[in-house]
């Protein structure tokens, strides 16, 4: 008789050890899968739904060996999100995915995977097959999202040869691609009253009279400044102010750019949840759980997920101190800040980069700053369309 020893990658083994060594977490994990209704046999991506933590560990171990393939679902680029979509929609899942110990292990798993996606070996998914990112369909979809006709005329590619992956050296290099020079000029760069769109993103919500503290987990998902900014000493500056939130699809440009000219006052990362959604968007929802969670929970995750916070003192005194928050969603574990405290930046200069997949971001303004938004037609919602990065999204009066 031969015994087969299953070897997990170190971060997956660490998650396994945590679950199995902590009776409370072990019970919560079991409950999380037990609470998924039996009728949910497949994930929203069409793959079989995992039914226990051992299957979950096996899937995680397999996923982080591979690069991200293209697909036509709402969870393109997020295979871990797909297998955890329904577990996170349960009550026990809410507890599990908000646990700091669990999130520490998930962060290690995502960071391990992220390093693999920065290697040349990850370019194998940059091909022309049905599940390749360089198929005609995939390239056309990415060009369409960028409001253009041809991928290679919009984005900076080192080569035109798809057999050579268009010159991209890794999956991450492809995902964090740049626009070609002149494709996204800064609109009215010398007008200090003009606020530029910080990300290639679709408007999600505008909120006024921001409170210091709110129950952000309730159905309406009100914003809670003390949670959004993790009780930063500057939080009180924004009480009563205005907030703008917008989201990025997995097919969009994923770099952040400064909405104003000014000086970086603070810049730091906050580590939070990775796969949490608000309970009213899970199985408590009469219409069923969010099939692309946590898309419907974006206000909630802006206060709970891992995120990067950058305070900027605008040169324009009518704006003064403002705040940009990059919020990682699901597989987005790398919120990379590239600016330094004390650095002066011009409107449109790069602030940082999202790694992995879809994400969301927030701009916050102090009370008394008279911000008039220009959303180019659509009302803020999950059904809105991208506004180009560097285009005007608001003016201060």
């Amino acid at each position: 008789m031969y015994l087969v020893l299953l070897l997990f990658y170190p971060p997956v083994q660490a998650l396994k050890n945590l679950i199995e060594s902590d009776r409370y977490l072990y019970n919560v994990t079991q409950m999380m899968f037990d609470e998924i209704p039996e009728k949910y046999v497949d994930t929203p991506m069409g793959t079989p739904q995992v039914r226990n933590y051992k299957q979950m560990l096996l899937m995680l171990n397999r996923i982080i060996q591979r690069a991200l393939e293209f697909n036509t679902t709402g969870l393109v680029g997020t295979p871990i999100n797909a297998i955890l979509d329904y577990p996170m929609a349960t009550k026990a899942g809410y507890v599990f995915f908000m646990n700091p110990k669990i999130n520490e292990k998930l962060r290690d798993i995502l960071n391990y995977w992220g390093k693999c996606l920065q290697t040349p070996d990850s370019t194998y998914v940059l091909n022309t097959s049905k599940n390749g990112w360089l198929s005609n369909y995939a390239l056309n979809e990415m060009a369409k999202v960028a409001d253009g006709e041809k991928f290679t005329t919009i984005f900076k590619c080192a080569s035109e040869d798809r057999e050579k992956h268009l010159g991209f050296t890794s999956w991450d290099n492809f995902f964090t691609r740049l626009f070609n020079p002149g494709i996204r000029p800064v609109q009215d760069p010398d007008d200090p009253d003009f606020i530029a769109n910080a990300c290639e993103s679709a408007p999600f919500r505008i909120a006024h009279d921001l409170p210091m503290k709110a129950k952000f987990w309730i159905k309406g998902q009100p914003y809670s400044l003390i949670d959004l900014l993790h009780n930063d000493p500057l939080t009180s500056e924004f009480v009563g102010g205005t907030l703008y939130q917008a989201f990025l699809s997995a097919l969009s440009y994923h770099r952040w750019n400064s909405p104003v000219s000014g000086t970086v006052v603070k810049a730091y990362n906050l580590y939070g949840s990775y796969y949490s959604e608000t309970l009213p968007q899970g199985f408590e929802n009469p219409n069923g759980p969010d099939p692309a969670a946590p898309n419907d929970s974006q206000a909630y995750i802006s206060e709970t997920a891992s995120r990067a916070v950058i305070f900027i003192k605008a040169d324009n005194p009518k704006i003064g101190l403002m705040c940009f928050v990059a919020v990682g969603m699901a597989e987005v574990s790398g919120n990379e800040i590239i600016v330094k405290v004390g650095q002066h930046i011009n409107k449109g200069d790069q602030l940082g980069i999202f790694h992995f997949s879809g994400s969301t971001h927030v701009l916050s303004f102090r009370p008394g700053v008279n911000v008039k938004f220009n959303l180019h037609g659509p009302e803020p919602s999950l059904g809105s369309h991208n506004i180009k990065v560097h285009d005007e999204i608001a003016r201060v009066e």
Side-chain angles (χ1 to χ4, degrees), residues 122-150:
S122 64
T123 57
Y124 75 90
V125 294
L126 304 181
N127 62 60
T128 58
S129 71
K130 178 182 177 182
N131 294 323
W133 288 87
L134 304 187
S135 67
N136 288 336
Y137 181 84
L139 290 176
N140 288 339
E141 287 298 297
M142 287 181 283
K144 188 188 304 181
V145 169
D147 196 31
E149 294 184 359
K150 188 178 179 183

Side-chain angles (χ1 to χ4, degrees), residues 256-306:
W256 335 322
N257 298 271
S258 184
V260 297
S261 295
T263 302
V264 178
V265 175
K266 286 186 178 182
Y268 55 85
N269 286 97
L270 293 171
Y271 296 111
S273 64
Y274 294 92
Y275 294 96
S276 182
E277 68 177 315
T278 185
L279 280 170
Q281 297 300 336
F283 286 114
E284 289 189 3
N285 189 336
N287 298 320
D290 178 6
N295 273 9
D296 292 349
S297 301
Q298 288 186 58
Y300 159 79
I301 67 167
S302 71
E303 298 148 1
T304 59
S306 291

